[in-house]
């Protein structure tokens, strides 16, 4: 029996016979296995592991009883893994109404009404992205604009730039601080009408008055957030996510999903710093769920801030703010102690470092703690490795530290990164190809929801270093572009290496997990401009489809 894609939905409902094998054929399967890089067929067992790859006729002869799945004129690649992301944050962002580009207050209300249908009763309706400059009247809105449609449910909407919020009267009633009189908070403003009453718009720090009374999400809402994030991920071809900064409560929720068979991808969670999660891991040891979909073997640390807000720690002054060198989120001594603690508990450190000083602190600390193990098979990682002193680039290779980088950060930051750090320091900024040439292991990700969850945009940025509109032509600092094969490796075997799973994930070869994506065209030969629109036809994990278009 030869199943057409339409029959796949049926296939996954059928109880598989014990020992059943599946023979999948496609126009091309990029295996990532240097011994047989491109084949037309693959057999995987009922245990979800690849048994063989090769020629279709040959495999059909050797596996005569395998059920057949032909995905037709499609390209199969190993499952894409986002090596740095935040699932819960993505889920909560998907639980907020999207108001970007709403052309009028009526359109805002229509979008909110449609969104409200997805919310449990009584929950706050949160949204973001409104901009009164897009509306005919161009004046700030008021609580009254929302009250007719939402008399009881609190509504709280963040402006497009994040610097103002718009509340309805139900939200205003929830504010605990007395808003009467004419007082204004430091660094912010409560807009008031002629009678002195708050209109519903809160600027900058004044927004905290409303933020403070938005209820913390309950378990049901948190579960809904995780569910949404997981679905968004598999829809875009992700079979794995390295989730950076997971609390004990988040881990418990993920564990419940794993127990209930609700994880459609593999979460590799990193504990949120020197916290309760780290203490728990030290007590119980690195955690692995028996189903293989969830594990926590590492800890995420923060050394410095971000470049956009000039929080990244630099060795010299910011080029656009003399006298300022950024900030350290964790002092070097405390960071050293935390890395020692993680290491002592058998855990893998993954440390956020954006500025060249932040990166140097991580390298110095890792070298000190690793001692004679530096350069060995420890798999310690630096998250972002965004602006690195040119002299420090080879140290990543010497210490054998993985650079966990996000291609879309470069194409988002390129309009202003040069202003922050100047031309000379750009030589070690977003330096993917420099790292690759030095032999530094590269793991690629998105940092979603800071950037899009869509790994096709990551592949596009990695290969072109252009924005979606094709700017600048030829790419920004094009010498740092990756080849399509390197970009795909970064999202597959590179990510698997970063979690010490490169003998099991990231390739399609015998013994590896049958995690793969069926694409409408070949990302290795497609015109790079078409990568963002690459069709994701289906996403498979352990030999089972978890998403089908
Ligand atoms: Zn992050």
């Amino acid at each position: 029996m030869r199943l057409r894609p339409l029959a796949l939905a049926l296939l996954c409902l059928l109880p598989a016979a014990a020992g059943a094998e599946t023979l999948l054929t496609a126009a091309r399967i990029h295996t990532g296995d240097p011994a047989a890089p491109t084949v037309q067929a693959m057999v995987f067992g009922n245990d979800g592991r690849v048994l063989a790859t090769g020629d279709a006729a040959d495999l059909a002869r050797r596996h005569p009883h395998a059920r057949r799945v032909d995905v037709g004129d499609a390209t199969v690649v190993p499952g894409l893994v986002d090596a740095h992301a935040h699932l819960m944050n993505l889920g909560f962002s998907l639980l907020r109404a999207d108001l970007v580009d709403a052309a009028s207050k009526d359109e805002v209300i229509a979008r909110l009404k449609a969104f409200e249908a997805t919310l449990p009763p009584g929950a706050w309706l949160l949204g973001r992205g409104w901009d009164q400059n897009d509306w005919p009247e161009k004046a700030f809105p008021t609580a009254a604009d929302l009250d007719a449609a939402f008399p009881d449910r609190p509504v709280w909407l963040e402006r497009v730039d994040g610097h103002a919020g718009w509340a309805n009267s139900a939200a205003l009633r929830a504010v605990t601080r007395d808003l009467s009189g004419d007082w204004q908070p430091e660094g912010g403003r409560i807009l008031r009408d002629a009678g002195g009453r708050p209109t519903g718009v809160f600027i900058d720090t004044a927004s905290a008055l409303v933020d403070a009374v938005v209820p913390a999400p309950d378990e049901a809402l948190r579960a809904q957030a995780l569910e949404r994030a997981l679905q968004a991920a598999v829809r875009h071809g992700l079979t794995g996510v390295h989730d950076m900064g997971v609390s004990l409560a988040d881990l418990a929720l993920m564990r419940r999903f794993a127990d209930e068979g609700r994880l459609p991808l593999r979460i590799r969670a990193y504990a949120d710093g020197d916290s309760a999660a780290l203490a728990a891991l030290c007590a119980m040891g690195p955690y692995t769920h028996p189903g293989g979909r969830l594990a926590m073997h590492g800890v995420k640390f923060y050394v410095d801030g971000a470049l956009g807000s000039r929080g990244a720690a630099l060795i010299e002054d910011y080029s656009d703010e003399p006298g300022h060198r950024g900030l350290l989120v964790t002092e070097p001594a405390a960071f050293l102690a935390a890395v020692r603690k993680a290491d002592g508990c058998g855990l893998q450190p993954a440390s956020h470092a954006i500025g060249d000083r932040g990166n140097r602190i991580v390298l110095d600390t890792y070298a000190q703690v690793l001692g004679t193990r530096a350069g060995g098979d420890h798999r310690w990682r630096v998250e972002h490795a965004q602006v690195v002193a040119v002299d420090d680039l080879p140290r990543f290779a010497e210490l054998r530290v993985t650079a966990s980088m996000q291609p879309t950060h470069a194409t988002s930051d390129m309009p202003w990164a040069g202003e922050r750090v100047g031309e000379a320091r750009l030589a070690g900024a977003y330096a993917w190809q420099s790292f690759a040439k030095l032999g530094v292991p590269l793991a690629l990700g998105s940092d979603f929801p800071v950037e899009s969850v869509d790994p096709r945009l990551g592949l596009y940025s990695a290969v072109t270093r252009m924005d979606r509109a094709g700017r600048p032509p030829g790419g920004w600092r094009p010498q740092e572009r990756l080849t399509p094969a390197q970009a795909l490796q970064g999202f597959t075997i590179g990510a698997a290496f970063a979690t010490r799973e490169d003998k099991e994930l990231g390739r399609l070869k015998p013994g590896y997990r049958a995690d793969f994506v069926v694409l409408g065209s070949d990302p290795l030969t497609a015109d790079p401009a078409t990568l963002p629109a690459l069709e994701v036809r289906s996403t498979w994990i352990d030999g089972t489809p978890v998403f089908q278009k």
Side-chain angles (χ1 to χ4, degrees), residues 240-523:
V241 169
H242 300 178
D243 198 329
M244 288 290 154
V246 172
S247 68
L248 265 189
D250 290 346
L251 182 65
L253 178 65
M254 292 167 180
R255 192 170 177 165
R256 177 157 77 76
F257 270 55
D259 288 341
E260 294 169 356
R262 292 167 67 192
L263 285 185
L265 52 67
R266 300 181 201 286
I267 302 177
R268 300 302 179 242
Y270 285 74
D272 55 346
D274 194 354
S275 67
L278 176 54
L281 279 185
C282 283
M284 71 181 178
Y287 168 74
T288 307
H289 188 274
R293 300 269 171 109
L294 177 63
M296 189 188 261
H297 293 184
V299 193
K300 162 86 178 295
F301 295 117
Y302 277 92
V303 171
D304 62 354
L307 196 60
S309 48
R310 298 187 188 82
L314 299 181
I315 295 165
E316 303 288 343
D317 291 359
Y318 271 80
S319 299
D320 57 358
E321 192 180 339
H324 181 69
R325 296 184 177 182
L327 57 94
L328 293 178
V329 175
T330 312
E331 286 301 319
F335 177 59
L336 173 65
V339 171
R340 280 220 163 99
K341 181 172 169 183
D343 183 38
C345 297
L347 300 166
Q348 173 201 34
S351 305
H352 164 118
I354 300 239
D356 53 10
R357 184 158 56 108
N359 276 282
R360 185 168 288 177
I361 288 168
V362 175
L363 294 172
D364 289 347
T365 304
Y366 281 7
Q368 192 177 340
V369 177
L370 284 167
T372 56
R373 292 175 294 154
D377 196 28
H378 49 74
R379 312 284 168 112
W380 290 15
R381 42 195 287 181
V382 180
E383 302 307 308
H384 310 306
Q386 207 167 81
V387 179
V388 178
V390 171
D391 292 346
D392 285 343
L393 291 171
R395 294 182 67 201
F396 278 77
E398 287 157 21
L399 295 170
R400 192 110 181 106
V401 165
T402 292
S404 165
M405 305 183 78
Q406 300 74 37
T408 41
H409 275 338
T411 45
S412 292
D413 297 359
M414 63 188 179
W416 45 261
E419 292 164 26
R420 294 282 187 284
V421 301
E423 271 305 307
R425 283 184 287 195
L426 283 183
Y430 313 89
W432 315 320
Q433 192 59 260
S434 295
F435 274 132
K437 283 188 178 137
L438 287 162
V440 176
L442 276 183
L444 300 180
S446 71
D447 204 8
F448 70 66
V450 178
E451 305 285 352
S452 167
V453 61
D454 189 345
R456 299 172 301 176
L457 302 182
L459 293 172
Y460 169 77
S461 287
V463 172
T464 66
R465 289 176 76 101
M466 294 191 290
D467 68 15
R468 291 291 301 282
R471 291 175 305 228
W476 180 61
R477 303 187 54 80
Q479 66 274 29
E480 296 295 350
R481 284 178 308 192
L482 295 176
T483 65
Q486 285 176 314
L488 185 61
Q489 281 164 20
F491 278 102
T492 55
I493 193 65
F497 180 88
T499 51
R500 201 183 283 281
E501 294 176 288
D502 48 316
K503 293 284 184 283
E504 181 161 56
L505 302 176
R507 292 190 176 112
L508 296 169
K509 62 183 274 192
Y512 280 59
R513 303 266 196 178
D515 293 2
F516 57 91
V517 193
V518 179
L519 301 169
S521 48
D522 183 352

